[in-house]
Structure formats: C-alpha cells, structure tokens
C-alpha cells in the first residue's frame, strides 16, 4: 500500500482560516498564525503544554513548503476543525505532481517531510482536480 493514497479529506470540518502564500519566506508568518490559533501565542510560550500544537505547526510547514517547492505558487493553506481534531489542506497548481515520499536518498539530503506528516497524523492523503492538487492531514487534539 502506498504511503500517500489519493483520497479526499473528511468533510465534517469547519474552516477556521485560510492563508495564501507565494514564497517560502512567508512560512514564518504561517507558523506564527497557527501557533496563535492553537495556543494564543505566536511563539512557544509554554513548552510543557504546547508540544501538541507543534505537531500541527510541523505538519502545516511540511505540506505548505512541499507545495511551494514542487507545486508552485500561489499555495493555499486551510485549517479546519471538528471538535478536538484538526485538518490541514494545502492546495497548489500542479495536479499532475502527486506527493511522493523520498526513497533511496541519503537522509542528510532531506526530503523526508511526507514521512513525518504520515507519522504525526491520524489520516492523510491527496487528491487532484482540474488545475489543482490538494494534500491534507488530520491531527487529533491535545
């Protein structure tokens, strides 16, 4: 079974916010916005309590940076919520470029973010539609 299956995310989530990014330089603002949404602070204020929210930050960062690098700008990142569960959906304009985890590469060269997302999420996948591809991940709450 492939690590990243083509599937749509659960539809029960209510959108909390969306952000469009056009460059990797905008990732810091995305991370700060996400931390503020989760904990009330744009920085890690209470490491002993905020560790779960950093999973969300890592997933959003990995999916968004992959979309910018391999799918092209603009990229839309959406955060949704259903109770204690969160979903990130990241859309880019490369429907013919599915998310493919690195294989046979020296780990010092990076490229293993999709493995991290798969390990940190309770569900993940991607789907293509005319002119766009969306990668998504679901994370349980604290």
């Amino acid at each position: 079974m492939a690590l990243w299956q083509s599937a749509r995310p659960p539809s029960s989530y209510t959108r909390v916010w969306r952000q469009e990014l056009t460059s990797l330089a905008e990732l810091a603002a995305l991370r700060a916005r996400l931390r503020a949404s989760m904990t009330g602070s744009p920085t890690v204020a209470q490491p002993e309590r905020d560790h779960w929210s950093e999973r969300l930050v890592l997933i959003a960062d990995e999916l968004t940076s992959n979309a910018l690098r391999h799918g092209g700008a603009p990229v839309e990142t959406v955060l949704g919520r259903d109770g204690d569960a969160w979903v990130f959906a990241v859309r880019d304009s490369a429907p013919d470029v599915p998310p493919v985890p690195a294989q046979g590469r020296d780990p010092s060269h990076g490229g293993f973010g999709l493995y991290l997302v798969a390990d940190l999420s309770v569900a993940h996948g991607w789907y293509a539609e005319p002119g766009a591809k969306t990668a998504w991940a679901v994370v349980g709450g604290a």
Side-chain angles (χ1 to χ4, degrees):
M1 184 158 105
L3 181 62
W4 280 79
Q5 295 289 320
S6 178
R8 291 195 177 263
S11 60
S12 59
Y13 293 86
T14 301
R15 186 163 82 178
V16 176
W17 53 257
R18 70 172 284 283
Q19 185 166 337
E20 188 172 291
L21 295 91
T22 57
S23 74
L24 291 169
E26 296 172 289
L27 285 172
L30 176 77
R31 291 188 298 265
R33 182 178 185 188
L34 182 53
R35 283 185 185 105
S37 294
M38 301 292 106
T39 67
S41 172
T43 61
V44 180
Q46 299 177 336
E48 68 284 353
R49 274 192 47 219
D50 296 345
H51 67 279
W52 75 270
S53 64
E54 287 306 297
R55 265 189 295 155
L56 302 172
V57 171
L58 178 60
I59 289 171
D61 187 76
E62 289 294 339
L63 291 180
T64 304
S65 65
N66 279 352
L68 287 165
R69 286 185 180 100
H70 306 294
V75 166
E76 177 187 59
T77 298
V78 175
L79 174 66
R81 183 176 188 177
D82 182 11
D84 286 341
W86 300 86
V87 65
F88 289 104
V90 181
R91 178 181 299 224
D92 64 44
S93 58
D96 298 329
V97 183
V100 179
Q103 296 179 7
R105 182 185 303 169
D106 181 338
S108 67
H109 294 132
F112 291 89
L114 291 175
Y115 290 109
L116 288 172
V117 172
D119 285 345
L120 295 173
S121 63
V122 296
H124 60 277
W126 70 280
Y127 64 94
E129 52 195 355
K133 169 185 73 248
T134 300
W136 57 270
V138 175
V139 181

